[in-house]
Amino acid sequence: MTIKIQRRSLLKGGLAGTVLSILQRPKSTQAHNIKKYPDSYGVLVDLNRCIGCRSCEAACNKEQGLPEPNTPFTDQSIFTPDEHGQKRRTDATAYTVVQRYDFPGQDHPLFKKVQCNHCLEPACLTSCFVNAYTKTPEGAVIYNPDVCVGCRTCMIACPFYIPTFKYSSGFHPRIMKCIFCYDTRLKYGKPPACVEACPQEALLFGKRDDLIKKARRRIENKPDLYQDHIYGEFEAGGTSWLYLSPVPFAEIGFNPDISDEPVLDSVKNFLAIVPMVLTIWPALFAGFHLLATRKDLQAQTTDDTSGEDKR
Ligand code: SF4
Ligand code: SF4
Ligand code: SF4
């Protein structure tokens, strides 16, 4: 039995009623049991092959019906970090972005495609108290906006900072992230649009287990070209998207502190240590959502301009 809370019922029943109904459920119904899918798909991203052409970004926006960016996909100035030295990140208008890393003394920069890594035991899923996320047998982590209450816990939980929030309407909260092209491609066994668009074969689609074997072969055959590390094989309990790199991953923005333990376990341990968190968690974030909703409504009353997407 899983917790299913319709957004409408939350708003209708009020915060107190909803929180009460959550707390009245047996504790076992609040747990997330994540199945293992040994036959699931993945993508191997080989950073030695990426040339930063951004064809993957263009294909993603088209496939997912995301808006055209202000500057064309051919514009390389987008790789310049902002005034705070920050590189571009995924947001509500871009489920995938390519970042550039320059190394002094190197002729060529290194490019890195970023998107949801589709964790095997996703922290976004385990942190969500209305079960808006699903890990499909094919490997995708998908999201159901119909039950989402907009608490944004998943944004905090994700170790890769991937889910973003669309501020288009207070009553229609929506998390935006890569869904592995699940509805249109993955569930039919077809490669994602970004993979198909890559002219360099920097993105290899296949069964995750096969991709790990292929990645190991590439490392063994060209040890001078590759780090002896497949990022995502174990990190955060393993991810469906995997990376090969010529330089240590810590030098190109991968978090070296992400442990091999699924974030699910950390959350469970944390909740075991502090049982009170289990009690206040839903109330806290449902409260945040209602506050955010009220602010959105006030903004809409005073300013009749249509909503924009921003992180
Ligand atoms: S990378 Fe983040 S958003 Fe994607 S499945 Fe993992 S925890 Fe969820
Ligand atoms: S898998 Fe699909 S949704 Fe995800 S980045 Fe690639 S094209 Fe976009
Ligand atoms: S399409 Fe391929 S080569 Fe071009 S930026 Fe994306 S991953 Fe790199």
Side-chain angles (χ1 to χ4, degrees), residues 116-119 122-125 133 141 157-163 177:
C116 171
N117 288 324
H118 298 276
C119 303
C124 52
L125 185 158
Y133 287 91
V141 177
C158 174
F160 304 106
Y161 309 107
I162 291 298
K177 76 165 197 76

Side-chain angles (χ1 to χ4, degrees), residues 15-236:
L15 174 62
T18 305
V19 170
L20 196 65
S21 76
I22 292 167
L23 297 180
Q24 280 170 343
R25 290 169 196 271
K27 273 190 186 172
S28 61
T29 67
Q30 296 176 16
H32 298 269
N33 293 315
I34 300 173
K35 279 191 193 155
K36 302 277 183 189
Y37 298 113
D39 213 26
S40 64
Y41 291 103
V43 173
L44 177 63
V45 185
D46 189 335
L47 301 185
N48 271 313
R49 300 186 182 197
C50 180
I51 55 170
C53 66
R54 300 180 64 208
S55 304
C56 48
E57 290 187 33
C60 178
N61 278 42
K62 191 170 171 210
E63 182 81 9
Q64 298 302 328
L66 298 173
E68 284 284 310
N70 293 334
T71 53
F73 286 108
T74 49
D75 186 347
Q76 299 270 313
S77 68
I78 201 93
F79 291 127
T80 308
D82 67 14
E83 65 273 23
H84 307 294
Q86 297 297 314
K87 295 183 190 300
R88 282 189 316 149
R89 287 178 44 192
T90 54
D91 62 25
T93 62
Y95 292 171
T96 184
V97 295
V98 180
Q99 300 173 339
R100 186 181 69 198
Y101 287 84
D102 297 297
F103 293 94
Q106 293 279 343
D107 290 347
H108 305 291
L110 202 62
F111 294 97
K112 176 180 102 180
K113 180 185 183 297
V114 178
Q115 70 297 303
C116 171
N117 288 324
H118 298 276
C119 303
L120 303 187
E121 299 187 45
C124 52
L125 185 158
T126 53
S127 68
C128 178
F129 71 92
V130 295
N131 286 349
Y133 287 91
T134 305
K135 176 77 176 173
T136 76
E138 298 85 357
V141 177
I142 57 172
Y143 158 83
N144 179 1
D146 292 338
V147 298
C148 178
V149 296
C151 70
R152 294 169 236 188
T153 319
C154 53
M155 292 171 62
I156 301 163
C158 174
F160 304 106
Y161 309 107
I162 291 298
T164 61
F165 191 75
K166 188 174 184 180
Y167 286 87
S168 58
S169 166
F171 282 113
H172 295 94
R174 195 183 168 99
I175 292 291
M176 307 289 281
K177 76 165 197 76
C178 158
I179 51 162
F180 211 152
C181 290
Y182 180 71
D183 292 332
T184 50
R185 290 166 173 268
L186 191 72
K187 74 175 172 191
Y188 306 111
K190 285 171 62 185
C194 55
V195 172
E196 221 166 63
C198 178
Q200 292 297 110
E201 297 184 359
L203 310 173
L204 183 63
F205 173 73
K207 294 285 167 79
R208 183 178 185 271
D209 285 352
D210 295 339
L211 293 176
I212 289 172
K213 285 178 199 146
K214 283 180 183 166
R216 286 224 181 89
R217 271 205 297 278
R218 285 189 194 178
I219 295 170
E220 279 162 21
N221 291 341
K222 296 191 174 160
D224 48 328
L225 214 56
Y226 293 102
Q227 292 293 307
D228 187 9
H229 182 179
I230 306 165
Y231 194 95
E233 184 177 8
F234 302 114
E235 281 80 2

